[in-house]
Amino acid sequence: MRARPTSGSPLQVILERARRVPDLDHFPGVDEINARLADLAGRHPDLVTARRIGTSRLGEPITMYSIGSGPDEALVYAGVHPNEPIGFWTAIQLAEDLCADDILRAGCRWNIIGCIDPDGTRLNEGWFDGPWDRVHYLANFYRPAPAEQVEWSFPFQYKQAYFDNVMPEAFALMRVIDELKPKVAVSLHNTELGGVYYYVTRDLDGFVEELHEIAAAFDLPLDLGEPETPVARPLGPAVYEMISAKATYDYSESLGMTPYSSSGGSSAEYAERYGTVSLVAELPYWTHPAADDRTPSDVAYRDVLIEAADGLEQDITALVEIFEAARAHLSDDSQFVRATAAFLPYLGKRPDRDRRRAEQEDPARLATVSEAFGLRDIHRSFRLRYGGMLVRAIDGEIARGSAAAELHPLAKRLRALYRVWQDEALTLEPELHRVPINHLVGVQYAATFALLNAVRREGV
């Protein structure tokens, strides 16, 4: 069916489509994602080609749906971090609209992977239907160990770092990138709380301003606080050059620290060999008034860094003590155990890194309100994320009915500590605004089409 032409600039046309995303009351799990996309392919056999591209480690098929005929190739993939499900709806909405609108798919074949990590996604499905508060979300949260994240498990060799333990899901995505050599690629991520921010591999003319306009169209603030990594190089407010494993390595080295290199490169780094321009649009489930508040706070930036480092160190030390006491009694085949074993040492290095950063900061520079909030909230989020995963690891062992006696007092101690952290998080809940899911999907949807337009404008 041909859509009725719409007046206005290309971006306004995109935004008009993005605003049509219907109200959504949950995030789809693996079975729903597969069912929706398979049904679409069944209803449009002349438009959609479904192809199995791989198999997860636990035996789930991974399917790619191709819509359109090119000559341009676009690659869109969701679930690279399985705790980030906004992209599941974005992938589904893109596929549905491309089937309904031949103008939308003109000149480009869209290749959509609805869920690249089904195993990890199933471990997050406990919070996909709500209730919509951070305590419930983080108690049911799962993030794979860095080397088991599809996004960060591509081959990587740089200085003293070497990684080639590519897991099947990432290998499937690698083969697709090698085959398609896409003009654009969109890795569908999201953040947790704050505002909108983006990563792009190339500074395209006018694109930063378009990304700002997209967020504003859905009344979402930009995240103008602390970037998620000091490696991120800004191209404009809340828009950064795509972070890379190389840049992260060099930054750690510049601080006199041993670079953390147990994982690999990103999908965007891998695709750059083909000239692919990649985009990540990071959207929050909740916003906070501090997200885009650039007024000075009453505390020095370096002091907030040190405060957050000290607090995180104290909490991670407590988790490490419990985990080390429990480790001999936990199953090696548990994804929660593997993730905890990887993340706690990684997080244990962060306080030292941030103290070294603080030494380089001007003691007179005041943190902005957004920076101060962001640094403190990272601490809150990390302990709830990884404490919650340890709770699930130990409780899972106990639930099997064969737990060693030593695990029971450790579980009791951990649950008591975790409840203290949850109670503190609940005090922040009244300040949070939950963003409608269709607005989050709308931003990713619009940014995806805007990227292709921006790349075509430059003739890349």
Side-chain angles (χ1 to χ4, degrees):
M1 178 178 67
R2 180 176 292 274
R4 181 179 300 172
T6 309
S7 60
S9 70
L11 181 60
Q12 291 306 313
V13 172
I14 290 169
L15 287 172
E16 182 174 323
R17 289 191 175 104
R19 291 189 185 99
R20 297 175 194 157
V21 176
D23 290 339
L24 300 164
D25 62 1
H26 70 290
F27 290 110
V30 175
D31 294 335
E32 183 176 357
I33 297 163
N34 291 340
R36 283 178 176 270
L37 291 174
D39 176 69
L40 187 69
R43 287 188 284 113
H44 300 280
D46 55 329
L47 295 177
V48 184
T49 301
R51 174 160 60 106
R52 183 167 176 171
I53 59 169
T55 307
S56 77
R57 286 162 293 167
L58 295 180
E60 298 257 13
I62 300 171
T63 304
M64 182 172 74
Y65 297 84
S66 299
I67 305 168
S69 57
D72 292 338
E73 299 278 1
L75 177 61
V76 179
Y77 40 102
V80 280
H81 286 148
N83 58 289
E84 300 175 1
I86 295 169
F88 298 147
W89 276 131
T90 304
I92 291 167
Q93 189 69 41
L94 285 169
E96 290 178 348
D97 284 5
L98 286 164
C99 286
D101 188 342
D102 57 353
I103 295 175
L104 197 60
R105 61 179 183 270
C108 184
R109 181 168 69 163
W110 290 84
N111 304 277
I112 298 171
I113 304 170
C115 181
I116 193 68
D117 183 3
D119 300 346
T121 299
R122 290 195 184 278
L123 296 180
N124 279 284
E125 290 181 1
W127 65 268
F128 282 6
D129 291 316
W132 302 108
D133 61 75
R134 287 180 91 193
V135 166
H136 176 76
Y137 155 65
L138 290 166
N140 291 276
F141 170 99
Y142 166 71
R143 189 175 180 94
E148 297 183 37
Q149 296 174 12
V150 175
E151 186 62 275
W152 292 104
S153 58
F154 282 72
F156 178 65
Q157 183 173 12
Y158 183 64
K159 295 184 179 178
Q160 301 304 310
Y162 185 85
F163 180 87
D164 64 358
N165 189 24
V166 180
M167 60 185 191
E169 297 89 339
F171 190 59
L173 185 54
M174 280 176 56
R175 286 189 305 223
V176 166
I177 293 170
D178 290 337
E179 173 194 333
L180 298 178
K181 302 176 179 58
K183 179 182 284 285
V184 297
V186 180
S187 183
L188 294 168
H189 287 256
N190 62 257
T191 185
E192 179 178 311
L193 185 154
V196 179
Y197 60 101
Y198 306 89
Y199 294 105
V200 64
T201 52
R202 193 174 302 181
D203 190 3
L204 303 165
D205 184 46
F207 191 49
V208 168
E209 293 75 16
E210 288 180 334
L211 292 175
H212 291 169
E213 190 172 344
I214 289 168
F218 290 91
D219 297 320
L220 288 175
L222 297 174
D223 196 317
L224 302 178
E226 183 76 2
E228 65 176 317
T229 170
V231 173
R233 185 178 78 85
L235 302 176
V239 182
Y240 301 94
E241 184 178 70
M242 192 75 71
I243 56 177
S244 69
K246 286 183 179 180
T248 301
Y249 187 109
D250 288 340
Y251 181 76
S252 295
E253 200 173 48
S254 74
L255 294 177
M257 301 178 66
T258 302
Y260 186 82
S261 57
S262 70
S263 57
S266 71
S267 60
E269 283 179 275
Y270 188 81
E272 275 196 285
R273 67 191 62 196
Y274 300 115
T276 303
V277 182
S278 295
L279 171 73
V280 168
E282 298 273 12
L283 290 307
Y285 309 119
W286 301 275
T287 61
H288 187 275
D292 58 353
D293 188 342
R294 303 177 90 171
T295 58
S297 69
D298 58 357
V299 62
Y301 179 79
R302 65 181 295 172
D303 291 343
V304 183
L305 267 177
I306 293 169
E307 172 201 324
D310 290 348
L312 182 63
E313 183 173 64
Q314 177 181 333
D315 293 335
I316 295 302
T317 298
L319 292 176
V320 168
E321 288 176 359
I322 295 171
F323 182 62
E324 288 181 347
R327 183 67 184 91
H329 310 296
L330 298 174
S331 304
D332 290 333
D333 62 353
S334 165
Q335 293 184 71
F336 294 112
V337 173
R338 293 200 303 271
T340 302
F343 276 116
L344 291 185
Y346 170 74
L347 293 172
K349 294 181 178 181
R350 185 178 177 116
D352 182 44
R353 185 202 75 180
D354 286 351
R355 290 190 193 102
R356 294 186 189 214
R357 286 178 59 202
E359 291 172 0
Q360 300 176 359
E361 290 291 335
D362 179 358
R365 180 172 96 78
L366 294 178
T368 65
V369 170
S370 56
E371 287 172 335
F373 175 81
L375 282 167
R376 289 163 176 153
D377 196 65
I378 286 170
H379 169 206
R380 283 190 290 264
S381 177
F382 279 173
R383 68 186 185 181
L384 285 172
R385 282 185 174 198
Y386 303 109
M389 284 168 52
L390 181 54
V391 169
R392 293 178 77 181
I394 293 176
D395 283 355
E397 193 71 34
I398 291 172
R400 292 174 59 179
S402 56
E406 291 88 345
L407 276 184
H408 294 278
L410 291 170
K412 184 176 181 180
R413 175 183 164 193
L414 176 60
R415 290 190 205 107
L417 178 63
Y418 196 67
R419 277 195 297 271
V420 171
W421 296 343
Q422 288 179 314
D423 289 344
E424 183 180 327
L426 285 172
T427 66
L428 185 67
E429 203 70 29
E431 301 175 24
L432 305 183
H433 167 68
R434 183 185 163 220
V435 182
I437 296 174
N438 63 332
H439 289 195
L440 300 172
V441 174
V443 171
Q444 280 191 338
Y445 178 105
T448 298
F449 285 113
L451 173 68
L452 180 61
N453 282 356
V455 170
R456 284 173 165 172
R457 281 199 307 264
E458 296 209 347
V460 177

